[in-house]
């Protein structure tokens, strides 16, 4: 990147190079925030502080990924305060997407999930709502093992949000999430297998025993709706070890 706006021999730059050496992610994050504060105190005019704030923030972010530590706030805080990224003033939405794309390339499920949420909800001026992009990122996170993303992806295939309605895929992802202990996924599967899930086919997936087992699993985790459906609609046969609908 172009360094013309910076003096590499300045005290700030020399200090910055020293600060890069042998630092933990947490230390780099603290340095980034200190640099950012100095940048703000300069009336957002000292580009040396801006440069090193975002650079140390980026290093903290990617170093933290290796230890499952999230220091993405360092880069985001820098961007929000106008520091630019890698010395350039780029579109902020591109910057955030770029950062998380790199994070996902390092197989970070939580950050991929966060990007999905960003596209689903919209994040100020950084990300505009886009249900298709949200699904793409949720699928990345789901494939990396995020139970939350697996559940949401199942919902998307159920509702046709960002993807075409596909109940085979909805069941697949809900099942993954249910196996990972997501109560709402267990409830949805139970209701689908019982033929009672609003908007879903009443036939083709009906399986009373599977329905009872899923609802029971959800009820065991405190889901009152699942417990209520079990109480009103199901009975457990101790001899056959199966659930049946009343």
């Amino acid at each position: 990147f172009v360094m013309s706006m910076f003096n590499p021999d300045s005290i700030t730059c020399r200090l910055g190079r020293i600060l890069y050496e042998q630092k933990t992610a947490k230390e780099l994050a603290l340095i980034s925030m200190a640099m950012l504060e100095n940048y703000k105190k300069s009336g957002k005019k000292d580009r040396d502080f801006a440069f090193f704030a975002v650079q140390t923030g980026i290093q903290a972010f990617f170093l933290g990924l290796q230890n499952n530590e999230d220091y993405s706030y360092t880069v985001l805080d820098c961007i929000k305060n106008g520091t630019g990224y890698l010395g350039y003033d780029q579109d902020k939405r591109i910057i955030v997407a770029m950062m998380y794309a790199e994070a996902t390339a390092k197989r970070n499920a939580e950050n991929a999930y966060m990007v999905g949420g960003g596209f689903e909800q919209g994040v100020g001026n950084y990300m505009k709502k886009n249900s298709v992009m949200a699904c793409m990122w949720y699928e990345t996170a789901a494939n990396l093992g995020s139970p939350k993303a697996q559940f949401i992806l199942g919902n998307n295939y159920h509702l046709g949000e960002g993807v075409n309605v596909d109940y085979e895929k909805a069941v697949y992802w809900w099942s993954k999430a249910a196996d990972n202990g997501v109560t709402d996924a267990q409830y949805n599967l139970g209701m689908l297998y019982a033929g009672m899930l609003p908007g879903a086919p009443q036939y083709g997936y009906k399986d009373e025993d599977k329905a009872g087992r899923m609802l029971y699993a959800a009820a065991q985790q405190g889901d009152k709706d699942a417990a209520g459906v079990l109480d009103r609609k199901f009975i457990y046969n101790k001899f056959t070890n199966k659930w049946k609908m009343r």
Side-chain angles (χ1 to χ4, degrees):
F1 47 84
V2 179
M3 290 286 291
S4 58
M5 67 179 73
F6 309 108
N7 178 3
D9 294 321
S10 70
I11 293 175
T12 304
C13 286
R14 289 202 300 269
L15 175 62
R17 286 195 292 272
I18 294 170
L19 291 176
Y20 277 121
E21 297 174 0
Q22 303 299 318
K23 297 293 180 182
T24 65
K26 183 176 181 179
E27 288 171 331
L28 285 169
L30 292 173
I31 291 166
S32 175
M33 293 297 95
M35 292 282 190
L36 181 58
E37 282 302 309
N38 285 327
Y39 171 62
K40 290 191 286 186
K41 287 178 181 178
S42 75
K44 298 188 177 180
K45 295 179 180 178
D46 191 321
R47 299 302 298 174
D48 283 351
F49 281 128
F51 174 74
F52 282 109
V54 74
Q55 286 290 353
T56 51
I58 291 167
Q59 282 213 342
F61 176 65
F62 287 113
L63 185 59
L65 288 182
Q66 300 175 33
N67 299 312
N68 293 318
E69 299 169 350
D70 184 9
Y71 291 103
S72 58
Y73 70 87
T74 57
V75 183
L76 295 176
D77 283 353
C78 288
I79 293 167
K80 290 174 184 176
N81 282 282
T83 59
Y85 180 85
L86 297 180
Y88 295 100
D89 292 321
Q90 299 181 43
D91 181 89
K92 293 177 182 178
R93 284 169 294 167
I94 296 174
I95 294 165
V96 177
M98 181 193 309
M99 185 176 76
Y100 281 116
E102 291 170 354
T104 305
K106 292 178 178 288
R107 304 190 64 78
N108 187 292
E110 185 61 24
N111 281 334
Y113 173 79
M114 288 171 63
V115 178
F119 279 115
E120 181 181 15
Q121 302 294 329
V123 182
N125 294 321
Y126 306 118
M127 283 183 177
K128 291 186 177 180
K129 290 184 179 181
N130 186 321
S131 60
V132 174
M133 289 296 294
C135 281
M136 289 174 60
W137 283 96
Y138 281 140
E139 186 160 5
T140 296
N143 281 318
L144 292 173
S146 168
K148 295 177 292 185
Q150 292 165 349
F151 170 65
I152 291 174
L153 199 55
N155 288 351
N156 289 343
Y157 278 112
H158 164 50
L159 300 170
E161 294 182 352
V163 289
N164 294 325
V165 172
D166 188 324
Y167 279 97
E168 287 188 15
K169 291 182 178 178
V171 169
Y172 175 81
W173 287 116
W174 278 340
S175 297
K176 289 279 190 183
D179 289 344
N180 283 316
V182 178
T183 305
D184 288 339
Q186 295 165 346
Y187 176 80
N188 283 2
L189 283 172
M191 295 297 283
L192 176 67
Y193 291 139
M196 298 169 60
L197 184 65
Q202 293 188 352
Y203 304 100
Y205 293 94
K206 192 165 185 178
D207 186 315
E208 294 182 7
D209 183 53
K210 281 186 179 180
R213 292 182 186 280
M214 285 291 105
L215 291 168
Y216 180 76
Q220 287 294 101
Q221 294 198 79
D223 190 311
K224 294 181 179 179
D225 290 334
V229 173
L230 273 179
D231 185 55
R232 295 190 306 271
K233 299 289 187 179
F234 284 81
I235 187 169
Y236 182 69
N237 189 319
K238 294 181 179 179
F239 297 103
T240 62
N241 197 32
K242 289 186 176 182
W243 290 90
K244 292 286 291 182
M245 296 186 73
R246 297 180 187 276

